[in-house]
Amino acid sequence: MLAAAFASWIEKISERAFDAPFLDLLRAQGFYDIHFTHGPYEFGKDFIAKRDEPTPVQYAFQGKAGNIGGPAWMEIFPQLLELASDGPAHSNFDAKLPRRSVLVATGRLTGKATIGPAQLQAQLHKANLGDFEVWDLDVLKELLTGSPRFGVTPVPGLLPVLGHVEAGIPTERVLERELAALIPPASAPLSHVRRAFVDGSLVVARLVDKNLPFLALHAALNGVRIAAARAHTNLVEGGELLRDAFDSYISLGVSLFRPLLDAPEDPKVWLSFVGGPSRLPTYPIACVKVLEFLSLAALHREHHGQASEARALVEVAARAVRSQPGTAHPISDRFAASYPPILTALVRFGQGDLAARLARATAKWVCDRYEASPYGLAGPYANPPEEVRTLLGAPFECINLRERRESLLAVALADASYVLGLPDYDNIINDFLAVGIVPYAIHAEDSSDAYTVSKPGTVALVNIRYPDIRAAAPLPHHTLQALPRVSERAGGPAVPLALACLTRDRLFSDVLPRLRPSST
């Protein structure tokens, strides 16, 4: 099953979309000093890398998508000559080392192209320019599944995850639980962590193939979790991994949500994206999930010095908040973790009034649900059918529902309003009290276990008490983790918030005081 899944993934992937997984594959298989050199001055080399076999060998790679026939081979032949040349694609390219040039093709050589590699190899040997290989679909499958030549194999937990994906439509909760099996042990070498990234990419690709964009993006957050767990072993390695994982998450989100990002003010486009009016409960899910993505991406970009790109992402989010009513209508506590990053990103980029408006509208929606029925909104562990039954089923005696007054959404909105200085903080708190909402959350210790729902090290925070008015003092439950968490120190404050959006039952909102603008 794994070989077939890998083959299907490779055959469908575009040339540039394969770049990030290929880099992780190289790292997993012992390559080092790796550089992405694709561009106008690449000298035919998309990547360069070294590998000890047992002495160092300088590799250069040129990637092509799909099958390569005779005409295509003739077209790329000049590039392959450049690939094998001494051209300095990067200052770290060592022309003095034994050299191996590799054509990486996600398909196969066909027709007259099948004799081309042997002819090129002979030509390079005469010119003393090293060896030439073709890594086609079959070699890439070998690279992915493992072999004596490529010894790092898939994570054992990959097959059960794929089984859940192939058997039907998994839920976010199932994905969070099953993807935890891809996290390497703390003692694992870095190559195994990189390999786990590749395995996660396959799961994401299968979800994309099944047209499940929200679940695909949710699964991509597991890369952030893998990297954050590594930070507890090695902070520097964790930081590098976190940047790679977050960049992949952002690239995927932009690709998946492009129709929505291009039309943030058109509810018809957003309704069409989720399947039309018949899928109405999915519309607010799309609204909140897209805002969650935009805000996490913006906070990550800002932390890494890309303020203009971050501002552009927040501007799209702001336009959606103004135009999409679903942004203030979360259907359950599963979406509580989305609101702290959303409100924070708006405030940090000069949209404080809009953040206040969104917090007010969302708080009103939550209060209305709890005032209208004793069942409130479904909890963070509810599956989609349970969420819909709780949201719509109160008037029907035939639908059995459990009375529920706890609310994680209340904590998310109250925490963000207090820390960010939103003007309606006191009104929001009073409204929650008036309808009998019980603010409830989970505090997780600062350990790698904190990023997995089933792991120990959590404390229930029941009926959280909030100050009547804002003050300079931190919220009492934020003092349980007054210092930055390891994941924040490694990758920035967006990381704990992203991990909250993966687990969905905890907020890591103790990061918010360090995201508060100095003017609030």
Side-chain angles (χ1 to χ4, degrees):
M1 177 180 175
L2 276 180
F6 281 130
S8 175
W9 174 38
I10 295 168
E11 287 176 322
K12 294 176 182 177
I13 201 167
S14 66
E15 180 181 329
R16 296 278 70 86
F18 192 54
D19 288 342
F22 186 67
L23 281 171
D24 285 322
L25 272 173
L26 292 180
R27 294 185 180 105
Q29 298 296 345
F31 288 85
Y32 61 94
D33 199 12
I34 302 171
H35 299 276
F36 178 61
T37 55
H38 177 75
Y41 305 108
E42 65 181 42
F43 289 90
K45 304 169 180 65
D46 287 339
F47 303 93
I48 62 169
K50 296 181 178 72
R51 192 185 192 201
D52 295 335
E53 299 178 349
T55 57
V57 175
Q58 178 68 66
Y59 276 77
F61 301 91
Q62 171 69 234
K64 296 297 176 186
N67 292 333
I68 299 174
W73 175 266
M74 295 303 297
E75 183 179 338
I76 68 172
F77 188 77
Q79 297 177 40
L80 299 178
L81 290 177
E82 279 196 311
L83 173 68
S85 73
D86 292 333
H90 190 277
S91 58
N92 284 42
F93 183 82
D94 192 341
K96 297 177 181 178
L97 290 177
R99 190 180 318 168
R100 185 161 291 136
S101 304
V102 181
L103 170 63
V104 181
T106 60
R108 294 184 174 91
L109 301 188
T110 62
K112 293 183 179 180
T114 57
I115 62 174
Q119 294 174 340
L120 179 58
Q121 170 80 306
Q123 186 174 341
L124 296 181
H125 274 185
K126 286 182 181 179
N128 198 28
L129 290 175
D131 295 321
F132 176 76
E133 296 180 7
V134 176
W135 289 6
D136 63 2
L137 176 62
D138 295 316
V139 177
L140 291 176
K141 283 195 296 182
E142 179 188 345
L143 183 66
L144 285 160
T145 56
S147 70
R149 180 163 54 147
F150 303 115
V152 180
T153 58
V155 176
L158 176 59
L159 196 56
V161 181
L162 287 175
H164 280 284
V165 173
E166 301 302 334
I169 299 178
T171 64
E172 285 188 344
R173 183 61 57 213
V174 168
L175 283 175
E176 184 278 328
R177 182 188 70 223
E178 297 298 324
L179 285 167
L182 302 189
I183 304 173
S187 59
L190 181 59
S191 60
H192 287 216
V193 182
R194 288 290 182 181
R195 174 69 221 208
F197 273 16
V198 177
D199 295 338
S201 296
L202 175 60
V203 176
V204 170
R206 292 301 300 134
L207 290 166
V208 172
D209 287 344
K210 293 169 78 71
N211 194 28
L212 299 170
F214 301 113
L215 290 178
L217 199 62
H218 186 76
L221 284 175
N222 195 57
V224 177
R225 176 164 63 175
I226 290 169
R230 186 66 177 191
H232 287 265
T233 300
N234 186 310
L235 196 68
V236 174
E237 287 180 357
E240 294 172 354
L241 292 163
L242 279 167
R243 185 158 190 175
D244 290 345
F246 231 121
D247 286 346
S248 294
Y249 166 79
I250 293 172
S251 177
L252 176 68
V254 169
S255 173
L256 292 175
F257 295 154
R258 174 55 62 193
L260 306 182
L261 305 184
D262 288 342
E265 296 164 323
D266 191 339
K268 291 182 179 178
V269 171
W270 288 50
L271 267 173
S272 175
F273 186 85
V274 300
S278 64
R279 300 288 304 278
L280 194 59
T282 313
Y283 165 69
I285 294 175
C287 291
V288 176
K289 294 291 282 185
V290 172
L291 286 189
E292 172 191 300
F293 161 71
L294 289 168
S295 60
L296 290 174
L299 293 173
H300 173 73
R301 291 293 193 228
E302 182 192 22
H303 178 74
H304 288 284
Q306 298 166 293
S308 59
E309 184 175 343
R311 187 173 297 279
L313 291 164
V314 173
E315 178 54 36
V316 175
R319 291 167 63 192
V321 171
R322 294 188 189 99
S323 305
Q324 304 289 348
T327 57
H329 296 164
I331 69 169
S332 78
D333 271 352
R334 183 160 59 96
F335 302 93
S338 305
Y339 282 90
I342 293 169
L343 296 171
T344 300
L346 290 171
V347 169
R348 289 189 65 81
F349 285 89
Q351 302 282 355
D353 290 345
L354 191 61
R357 173 178 139 186
L358 177 61
R360 275 196 309 271
T362 309
K364 181 180 185 304
W365 160 265
V366 173
C367 288
D368 287 348
R369 304 283 75 71
Y370 280 78
E371 186 176 33
S373 83
Y375 312 115
L377 292 170
Y381 305 108
N383 60 37
E386 291 168 342
E387 291 172 332
V388 174
R389 284 200 302 270
T390 305
L391 182 67
L392 304 176
F396 305 100
E397 293 183 2
C398 60
I399 298 178
N400 293 321
L401 297 172
R402 183 183 69 84
E403 185 172 332
R404 184 173 186 271
R405 308 313 295 169
E406 302 87 3
S407 176
L408 185 60
L409 275 161
V411 178
L413 295 169
D415 281 15
S417 297
Y418 182 91
V419 175
L420 299 174
L422 301 185
D424 282 330
Y425 162 76
D426 52 344
N427 291 329
I428 288 173
I429 293 299
N430 289 333
D431 288 346
F432 288 155
L433 292 173
V435 298
I437 285 176
V438 177
Y440 175 92
I442 286 176
H443 172 77
E445 298 173 354
D446 186 16
S447 72
S448 59
D449 285 350
Y451 315 139
T452 301
V453 169
S454 62
K455 293 292 183 69
T458 60
V459 176
L461 306 176
V462 183
N463 201 12
I464 298 171
R465 302 291 183 179
Y466 286 92
D468 293 334
I469 58 173
R470 284 190 70 247
L475 291 169
H477 57 285
H478 286 176
T479 63
L480 297 173
Q481 181 64 47
L483 297 176
R485 294 175 179 271
V486 167
S487 59
E488 180 185 351
R489 289 193 284 127
V495 174
L497 296 176
L499 294 167
C501 291
L502 174 64
T503 57
R504 314 303 299 190
D505 70 338
R506 59 204 68 186
L507 301 175
F508 297 125
S509 56
D510 44 66
V511 71
L512 293 181
R514 290 175 293 282
L515 282 166
R516 176 176 52 211
S518 57
S519 59
T520 60

